[in-house]
């Protein structure tokens, strides 16, 4: 970080005045708790005993043989409690919010993974919980809505704008501005105003911390590349972070191209976005010539976001990471492929990273290792994939 | 004296009227501005429609969507300002989100503001700490950056008030814009605290919609800002809102001492 909350030119704190004291307070609290032994002990216990960490680093032997190139490992965040990497960040933030004296947490959610994780942590730690989810997403992820309700959360279907993830973020921001004294906004990705991109990255960096140790233990060497899907970019930031200083490890983020980057039905921010200032941060955003935020599209509700976290924007600017677009068709094929090949039904988000490894594995030699982050499990997507294939099943 | 300062001169309590440009059309917005002025508005705040206005409540959000659906572009908003400025010397300020300015090109945006006759700018997602984003070009082209002070600002009031330009916008309540029947914030103590650090006039906004509120807050501050109530009239009466707006502005202005 070059200056406070900046990643190169990206980042910052572009938010209403009403939130400024709270965001400064949050920053102070985080700086305290991240070095507080008691907090870290509690969090590590939760991660281990409750969330099931460390997650497995699994050698995908059949995929490796079939794709014919690099040795492929899967970082199994899908095996965490609640079924995705989202729990890593949520346990950290909700535990901290509780210590800060907050009694209520709110969060946005796209696919519902972050909402479910937040509702789970809130139930466990005894906090009131309200989740904001785009109406379109509540329709396509009905199971997750009901899950959140089972966990005691109140789910608001957001009907403003495009009724997807960005609108859910808007509405959660509006709610936070209305009630900040007892409420913490559990932002789900490495985005928004500082210190959120840093907090979420730190809590997610456990993914690469473990993966790096695990691969050194299993193979005695570092991978040639690590892959992760990128919407806002939390699992990718978590997967990249501890490899950033390993210059020979390629970092590849796979973003959702939807129907294709040359169509207007895409969510590929790195491929089609322009520099902008929105949702509290300077970064790349899909937008028109007037700076109106574009209505983005992807089959994946979790990647259906018109921006990307500021540290990713910086990693791209500096050339440290590479970002590639993956279409709906490719992701669905990968979803089916990894199910049949490895017996793993992964999230459609994660399938974007799987799709890319299917393309590039053969370009590597047998001595190379590629780690793919399986950010979540795909139970939530089964009905949607069936519909995509023209099979009408009831959820 | 600047046009903004003029609006508050001689202890005039300023009635500041907000409307979203292009709702229902740019031509109508122009007409509505004149009607609001006839009714007694002292300063006009023009909202540039934005796809994701995070500081707005439901009423103004809808106006943004209506305007954008009708095809309003930034260039149309500048044309509107240019036309209005030919007919009146009333102070005009923009309410816009940061991405609009940034994408236009910050330097070019303020040059255009100056050329067309904009006197000030309010950017709800640009807090004090990020003001550097626009300060140089805004000052260069003589556009006042209107600072907001919120019920939660507390120790930040000094910082913000000392560097304020034009007038100080005191946000009456937590949350987003929208009509409120009751405002609980201790606005008297906030305005008193602001006055310690600046001689700039103070206007209170967010939630104000009735003549009773206008009267009450004009006693504490130098002006009141009304947005959602005006936009609501436009939502109801569409093209025919002119006379209703004039009447409403008159009612509000008359209530202010």
């Amino acid at each position: 970080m070059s200056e406070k909350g900046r990643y190169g030119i990206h980042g910052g704190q572009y938010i209403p005045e009403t939130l400024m004291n709270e965001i400064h307070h949050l920053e102070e609290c985080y700086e305290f708790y991240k070095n507080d032994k008691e907090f870290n002990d509690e969090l590590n216990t939760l991660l281990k005993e409750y969330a099931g960490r460390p997650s497995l680093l699994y050698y995908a032997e059949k995929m490796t043989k079939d794709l014919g190139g690099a040795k492929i490992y899967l970082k199994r965040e899908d095996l965490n409690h609640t079924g995705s990497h989202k729990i890593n960040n949520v346990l950290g933030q909700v535990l901290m919010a509780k210590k800060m004296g907050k009694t209520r947490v709110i969060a946005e959610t796209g696919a519902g993974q972050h909402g479910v994780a937040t509702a789970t942590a809130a139930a466990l730690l005894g906090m009131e919980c309200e989740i904001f989810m785009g109406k379109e997403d509540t329709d396509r992820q009905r199971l997750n809505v009901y899950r959140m309700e089972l966990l005691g959360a109140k789910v608001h279907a957001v009907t403003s704008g495009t009724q997807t993830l960005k609108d859910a973020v808007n509405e959660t921001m509006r709610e936070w501005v209305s009630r900040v004294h007892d409420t913490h906004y559990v932002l789900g990705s490495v985005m928004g105003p500082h210190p959120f991109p840093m907090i979420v990255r730190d809590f997610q960096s456990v993914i690469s911390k473990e993966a790096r140790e695990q691969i050194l233990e299993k193979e005695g060497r570092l991978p040639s590349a690590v892959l992760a899907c990128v919407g806002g970019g939390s699992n990718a930031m978590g997967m990249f972070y501890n490899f950033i200083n390993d210059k020979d490890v390629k970092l590849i983020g796979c973003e959702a191209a939807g129907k294709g980057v040359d169509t207007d039905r895409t969510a590929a921010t790195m491929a089609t976005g322009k520099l902008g200032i929105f949702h509290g941060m300077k970064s790349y955003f899909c937008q028109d010539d007037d700076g109106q935020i574009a209505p983005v599209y992807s089959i994946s509700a979790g990647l259906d976001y018109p921006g990307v976290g500021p540290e990713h924007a910086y990693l791209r600017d500096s050339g440290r990471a590479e970002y590639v677009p993956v279409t709906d068709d490719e992701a669905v094929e990968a979803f089916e492929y990894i199910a049949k090949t490895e017996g793993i039904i992964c999230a459609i988000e994660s399938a974007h990273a799987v799709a890319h490894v299917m393309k590039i594995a053969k370009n590597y030699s047998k001595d190379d290792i590629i780690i793919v982050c399986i950010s979540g499990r795909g139970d939530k997507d089964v009905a949607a994939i069936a519909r995509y294939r023209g099979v009408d099943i009831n959820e | 004296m600047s046009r903004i300062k003029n609006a508050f001169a001689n202890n005039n309590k300023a009635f500041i009227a907000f409307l979203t440009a292009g709702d229902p059309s740019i031509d109508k917005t122009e007409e509505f501005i004149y009607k609001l002025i006839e009714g007694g508005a002292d300063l006009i705040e023009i909202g540039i429609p934005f796809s994701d206005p995070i500081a707005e409540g439901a009423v103004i959000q809808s106006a943004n969507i209506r305007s954008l659906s009708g095809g309003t572009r930034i260039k149309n908003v500048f044309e509107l300002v240019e036309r209005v400025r030919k007919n009146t010397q009333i102070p005009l300020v923009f309410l816009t989100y940061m991405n609009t300015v940034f994408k236009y090109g910050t330097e070019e945006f303020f040059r255009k503001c100056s050329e067309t006759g904009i006197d000030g700018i309010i950017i709800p997602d640009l807090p004090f700490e990020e003001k550097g984003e626009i300060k140089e070009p805004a000052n260069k082209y003589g556009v006042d950056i209107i600072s907001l002070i919120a019920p939660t600002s507390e120790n930040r009031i000094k910082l913000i008030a000392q560097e304020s330009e034009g007038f100080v916008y005191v946000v009456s309540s937590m949350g987003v814009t929208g009509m409120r029947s009751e405002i609980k914030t201790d606005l008297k103590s906030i305005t008193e605290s602001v006055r310690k650090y600046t001689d700039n006039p103070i206007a209170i906004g967010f939630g104000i919609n009735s003549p009773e509120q206008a009267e009450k807050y004009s006693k504490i501050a130098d002006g009141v800002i009304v947005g959602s109530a005006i936009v609501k009239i436009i939502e109801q009466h569409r093209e025919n809102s002119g006379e209703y707006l004039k009447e409403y502005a008159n009612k509000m202005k008359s209530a202010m001492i």
Side-chain angles (χ1 to χ4, degrees), chain B residues 89-113:
Chain B
Q89 283 307 304
I90 197 161
L92 300 171
V93 307
F94 270 152
L95 180 293
T96 181
Y97 287 81
M98 192 54 220
N99 201 46
T100 305
V101 179
F102 186 78
K103 189 68 177 57
Y104 197 89
T106 309
E107 170 88 16
E108 181 57 17
F109 186 90
F110 284 101
R111 195 190 63 72
K112 195 79 184 166
C113 283

Side-chain angles (χ1 to χ4, degrees), chain A residues 6-278:
Chain A
R6 290 279 170 181
Y7 306 87
I9 60 167
H10 305 283
Q13 296 180 309
Y14 302 87
I15 48 169
E17 168 59 22
T18 307
L19 293 175
M20 284 309 289
N21 263 328
E22 179 65 20
I23 211 101
H24 287 322
H25 177 59
L26 175 65
E27 193 183 343
E28 282 164 24
C29 290
Y30 178 67
E31 291 297 336
F32 173 80
Y33 287 116
K34 83 171 182 189
N35 298 311
D36 180 51
K37 187 173 179 306
E38 190 186 300
F39 175 81
N40 282 296
D41 287 350
E42 266 180 75
L43 177 58
N44 288 332
T45 303
L46 284 174
L47 289 173
K48 185 165 171 250
E49 306 292 335
Y50 185 69
R53 301 211 71 87
S55 70
L56 296 176
L57 184 71
Y58 165 74
Y59 171 44
E61 192 176 356
K62 283 183 73 191
M63 265 177 83
T64 299
K65 282 189 180 142
D66 184 57
L67 296 173
K71 209 165 175 181
I72 297 165
Y73 278 87
L74 306 175
K75 181 61 175 162
R76 299 289 308 275
E77 293 299 304
D78 57 317
L79 297 177
N80 297 339
H81 180 45
T82 74
S84 82
H85 72 291
K86 293 291 185 188
I87 194 80
N88 306 330
N89 165 47
V90 156
L91 286 173
Q93 282 202 49
V94 178
L95 184 63
M96 179 169 69
K98 188 164 179 159
K99 288 184 181 291
M100 286 168 68
K102 304 287 183 185
T103 55
R104 178 174 176 259
V105 290
I106 54 173
E108 85 291 346
T109 195
Q113 300 293 81
H114 177 57
V116 168
T118 305
T120 299
L124 179 71
L125 297 170
M127 309 275 271
E128 210 183 312
C129 178
E130 290 185 37
I131 303 294
F132 295 82
M133 188 171 183
K135 173 76 168 52
E136 188 174 312
D137 294 335
T138 58
D139 290 344
R140 59 180 165 176
Q141 297 287 353
R142 281 205 301 268
L143 263 177
N144 270 343
V145 173
Y146 195 69
R147 254 181 213 125
M148 290 182 265
E149 288 167 352
L150 274 177
L151 292 159
K154 184 166 186 215
V155 181
H156 300 271
V158 175
T159 54
S160 60
T162 53
Q163 311 191 355
T164 60
L165 182 52
K166 94 174 155 70
D167 310 284
V169 174
N170 292 346
E171 218 46 48
T172 320
M173 286 263 186
R174 289 180 183 124
E175 176 62 24
W176 203 29
V177 177
S178 305
R179 190 171 157 187
V180 76
H181 66 284
D182 66 345
T183 300
H184 175 68
Y185 179 3
V186 184
L187 232 158
S189 194
V190 286
M191 46 154 291
H194 175 70
F196 281 111
M198 174 178 76
I199 291 177
V200 180
R201 176 252 276 153
D202 288 355
F203 286 140
Q204 291 295 359
S205 66
V206 65
I207 302 173
S208 50
K209 183 173 173 286
E210 286 173 7
R212 197 174 182 282
E213 287 166 9
Q214 289 165 324
I215 200 70
L216 285 175
E217 196 186 311
K218 284 175 193 283
E219 296 280 354
R221 61 204 153 99
L222 291 171
S224 301
V226 297
L227 270 64
C229 63
V230 178
S234 71
N235 91 92
M237 209 57 235
M239 188 69 226
F240 292 173
Y241 190 63
N242 288 286
F243 290 109
I244 289 177
N245 291 327
D246 300 318
K247 297 295 175 204
D248 294 331
V249 179
K250 260 184 113 167
L251 309 175
I252 306 174
C254 307
E255 53 176 7
K259 302 287 183 197
V261 291
D262 48 358
T263 73
D264 60 359
R265 303 269 289 157
T266 183
T269 307
M270 292 293 196
T272 67
K274 296 276 186 313
L275 191 61
I277 296 173
F278 182 54

